[in-house]
């Protein structure tokens, strides 16, 4: 398991590596541009080479790119879909350049038929994949109000199928989103059952990464509010279950917590996660 966190890419992609190292990360997640604007940051071969060199000299073994929040591949508005496609293509292009997989929220459709929203999103995913080379596209399970796609394993599977079901499609599971969407992952037994269910509906071979966040809101609340590890509804026991889960063994497990001062996950919290991992592994041994 490669424990890490989301870090800033401000000042250049390679700067993210140093920020991950400072926090004791074994993996990192970055945005490939400012997450609240459509305007892309252009990177060239030198930026990618600098990133790869910095990573090779570091203990960081896996990188995720989180696509920007504005993307909505399921939108009924063709202009939003075309901007979403351009932005997703750029994320996958940077992913190809630095050897990262791309995490994406599948989208939402406030009106109309869910099946049609899934088909619209699938078409955008397919086109973005066709115009990039290697990078995996990981659809993240979500939490939110009606219209948010990807809250259930059935819906994730429908999205993967709509996207063509190819080898470069996968899933990123977020512990906070699972809990808020009604999957009881607060104990090792609950997590085991949830992953068995995921395996049956989607297939564990599709699982590409994990986000570990505690949740400010309770089971089935349909609200996405991340909490620091051990301080929310998932609790320490739930965090230990995720951190010692054998099926996450080779995977990047990335924290996206608010941190003590709302400035993101700290080195102390990464160290805490590593202690919880050791505790869980000892208990399972
Ligand atoms: Zn997440
Ligand atoms: Zn979230």
């Amino acid at each position: 398991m490669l424990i890490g966190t989301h870090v800033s890419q401000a000042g250049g992609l390679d700067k993210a590596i140093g920020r991950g190292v400072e926090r004791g990360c074994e993996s990192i997640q970055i945005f490939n541009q400012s997450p609240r604007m459509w305007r892309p940051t252009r990177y060239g071969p030198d930026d990618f080479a600098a990133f790869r060199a910095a990573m090779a000299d570091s203990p960081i073994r896996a990188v995720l790119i989180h696509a920007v929040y504005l993307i909505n591949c399921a939108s009924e508005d063709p202009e939003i879909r075309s901007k979403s496609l351009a932005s997703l293509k750029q994320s996958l292009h940077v992913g190809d350049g630095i050897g990262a997989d791309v995490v994406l929220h599948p989208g939402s459709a406030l009106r109309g038929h869910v099946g049609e929203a899934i088909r619209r999103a699938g078409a955008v995913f397919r086109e973005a994949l066709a115009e990039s080379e290697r990078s995996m596209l990981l659809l993240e399970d979500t939490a939110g109000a009606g219209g948010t796609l990807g809250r259930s394993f059935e819906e994730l599977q429908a999205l993967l199928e709509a996207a063509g079901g190819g080898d470069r499609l996968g899933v990123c599971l977020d512990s906070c989103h699972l809990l808020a969407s009604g999957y009881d992952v607060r104990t090792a037994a609950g997590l085991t059952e949830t992953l068995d269910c995921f395996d049956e509906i989607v297939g564990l071979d599709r699982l590409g990464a994990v986000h570990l966040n505690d949740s400010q809101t309770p089971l089935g609340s349909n609200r996405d509010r991340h909490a620091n590890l051990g301080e929310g509804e998932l609790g320490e026991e739930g965090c230990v279950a995720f951190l010692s889960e054998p099926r996450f063994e080779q995977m990047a497990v990335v924290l996206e917590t608010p941190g003590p001062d709302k400035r993101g996950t700290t080195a102390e919290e990464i160290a805490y996660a590593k202690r919880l991992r050791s505790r869980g592994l000892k208990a399972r041994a």
Side-chain angles (χ1 to χ4, degrees), residues 8-22:
S8 165
Q9 80 295 355
L13 287 173
D14 59 318
K15 300 289 187 296
I17 296 286
R19 295 183 183 114
V21 173
E22 277 168 19

Side-chain angles (χ1 to χ4, degrees), residues 87-189:
S87 188
L88 181 56
K89 272 164 55 181
Q90 172 68 5
S91 296
L92 289 162
H93 168 69
V94 177
D96 283 346
I98 65 174
D101 294 337
V102 172
V103 176
L104 174 73
H105 296 186
S108 67
L110 291 176
R111 280 158 300 156
H113 191 257
V114 177
E116 276 159 27
I118 289 173
R119 272 193 292 283
R120 284 194 297 271
V124 175
F125 302 157
R126 244 178 297 162
E127 195 169 342
L129 285 168
E131 292 181 45
S132 55
E133 285 165 24
R134 289 176 296 277
S135 182
M136 294 282 293
L137 176 59
L138 305 178
L139 303 181
E140 182 170 359
D141 77 295
T142 54
T148 308
L149 297 178
R151 296 185 299 175
S152 69
F153 298 155
E154 288 80 1
E155 216 162 75
L156 286 171
Q157 177 56 21
L159 285 155
L160 295 170
E161 276 170 26
D167 292 347
R168 288 173 57 209
L169 285 162
V171 170
C172 172
L173 288 178
D174 184 306
S175 57
C176 166
H177 302 174
L178 284 171
L179 188 78
S181 292
Y183 292 99
D184 191 352
V185 289
R186 293 172 294 184
T187 60

